[in-house]
Amino acid sequence: MDTDVGSFSLTMSYSSGSRREGFERVRDIVTRHRRAWAEQYLDTYLEQRWRTALEDVARAHHRHVAAKSRPPTLIQFAQFATTTANQWTGGDLGALYTAIGESAPTRQERPARLLPGGDGHDFARRVYTALGGIAVDDDLRMNQPEEAGRQWQLSCLAVESLRVQLHEALGQPPTPKQFGSTRLALVWPGGEAEGWPVFQHTLAALTNTNLPSERSDAGPTESHRDAPQSAGRALSKGANAPLEAEAVTVRLITTGAPVDVSAVLLTSHGRVRGDHDLVFYNHPHQDGVHSSTAAITAELRHIPADVHSIAVIASIDLEAQPTAVFDQQSIWRAETTQPSGTNFSFEPAPFTSGETVSIVVEIYRHASGWKMRAVVQGYDTGLAGLAADYGIDVEP
């Protein structure tokens, strides 16, 4: 239809079809181009990425050997290899050693595949539903935008749930730090403190695995930790108590700054046998001692004869909160439990000299059995000062 008004001309045209058909044509065009690009370039791109990452780790390994005249320990290797391990070997540092053609100093146990049926889409959908996810329609977006936003964040958590490969790599549920919870939107009023346990329990239920707090040797349950009457017999600084020759778990309940828990296996001379005797989130198992979320568990029947004691260490995560120290705002309480019913607890007075690390408990041999001591010895020199005392080489 043409209309002339003076020198002005307007032309209108009509076409058949629907907006849906137009969308589908565009979608098909984009899909064809994406597939063509992937067929031509994706394999090369991914190969270049993993080759570059492995070469960087191999160069760092060789630099260490050249400087120290010996290969790095697992702890030293983790300082420059963890990111690449998380990206390409599912967090398995041992597999990364193999990938660069080196022999790993220790072996990481890998459990069976956890993702049910291997269907990631179905697993993420079930996680979304278990977390309280619902269908989001235009009515919800228009009338309840905050709830719609929350549902979108739940869907993001469901996608992140596919990182159960970290559990497979570590042999146990990852800690919030290992999982990278700081980048997650844990949409509960209590933030990470409330949301992370909900998220973790959901993954455990859908993968048919147990959390550390649900195992008979892993200490009190969440409800126990919240109940003052279950805190056990209180110990004072320096006090000791007998232990049964079975699993013993030392769990920290912290307030304020984020705190990491580790353990050091020591000989009768108070020194490590080697750097592998430090048990922490990047080396979670050693000779019957393993770390889990905020806890250390020692299987006393499986501790080697040349290990005389085990020191449990609390250290502030200075990467997450660089200026934090153990003071009135950042404190911890320790709970020690055993399956037979042993239950002790103690809470130190706040430190006053800028301490960021503390020896929490010493588990030690006594005659033919075991005892524990509430040590509470702080360090204002950080992990480096403690490592020097125990003979651990943390120099990269």
Side-chain angles (χ1 to χ4, degrees), residues 302-317:
H302 300 149
I303 305 301
D306 59 347
V307 174
H308 178 75
S309 63
I310 302 159
V312 178
I313 311 300
S315 57
I316 290 179
D317 183 358

Side-chain angles (χ1 to χ4, degrees), residues 194-206:
E194 180 181 354
W196 173 254
V198 173
F199 187 50
Q200 191 182 38
H201 278 81
T202 298
L203 296 187
L206 293 177

Side-chain angles (χ1 to χ4, degrees), residues 56-76:
D56 288 344
V57 172
R59 279 194 292 269
H61 184 278
H62 294 156
R63 283 196 297 268
H64 182 99
V65 173
K68 301 288 187 179
S69 300
R70 64 179 184 273
T73 64
L74 183 64
I75 298 167
Q76 294 166 337

Side-chain angles (χ1 to χ4, degrees), residues 276-355:
H276 59 276
D277 280 340
L278 174 60
V279 179
F280 68 121
Y281 62 88
N282 261 335
H283 177 48
H285 304 276
Q286 183 66 41
D287 290 342
V289 178
H290 63 84
S291 65
S292 59
T293 305
I296 294 290
T297 296
E299 300 281 354
L300 297 183
R301 291 191 180 96
H302 300 149
I303 305 301
D306 59 347
V307 174
H308 178 75
S309 63
I310 302 159
V312 178
I313 311 300
S315 57
I316 290 179
D317 183 358
L318 296 177
E319 290 183 5
Q321 200 162 329
T323 61
V325 296
F326 285 125
D327 57 13
Q328 296 283 356
Q329 284 71 45
S330 302
I331 57 177
W332 52 264
R333 184 176 85 250
E335 294 180 358
T336 302
T337 59
Q338 292 190 282
S340 60
T342 300
N343 195 353
F344 303 108
S345 70
F346 65 91
E347 182 171 344
F351 292 107
T352 59
S353 301
E355 291 88 345

Side-chain angles (χ1 to χ4, degrees), residues 7 53 61-62 123 150 160 217 221 242 267 315 365:
S7 60
H61 184 278
H62 294 156
F123 182 70
R150 183 177 182 276
E160 291 289 348
D217 62 346
T221 62
T267 67
S315 57
R365 295 184 187 273

Side-chain angles (χ1 to χ4, degrees), residues 168-192:
E168 297 170 2
L170 295 170
Q172 61 185 357
T175 65
K177 181 178 179 180
Q178 291 166 329
F179 197 89
S181 63
T182 54
R183 75 183 195 289
L184 304 179
L186 294 164
V187 288
W188 285 267
E192 181 178 300

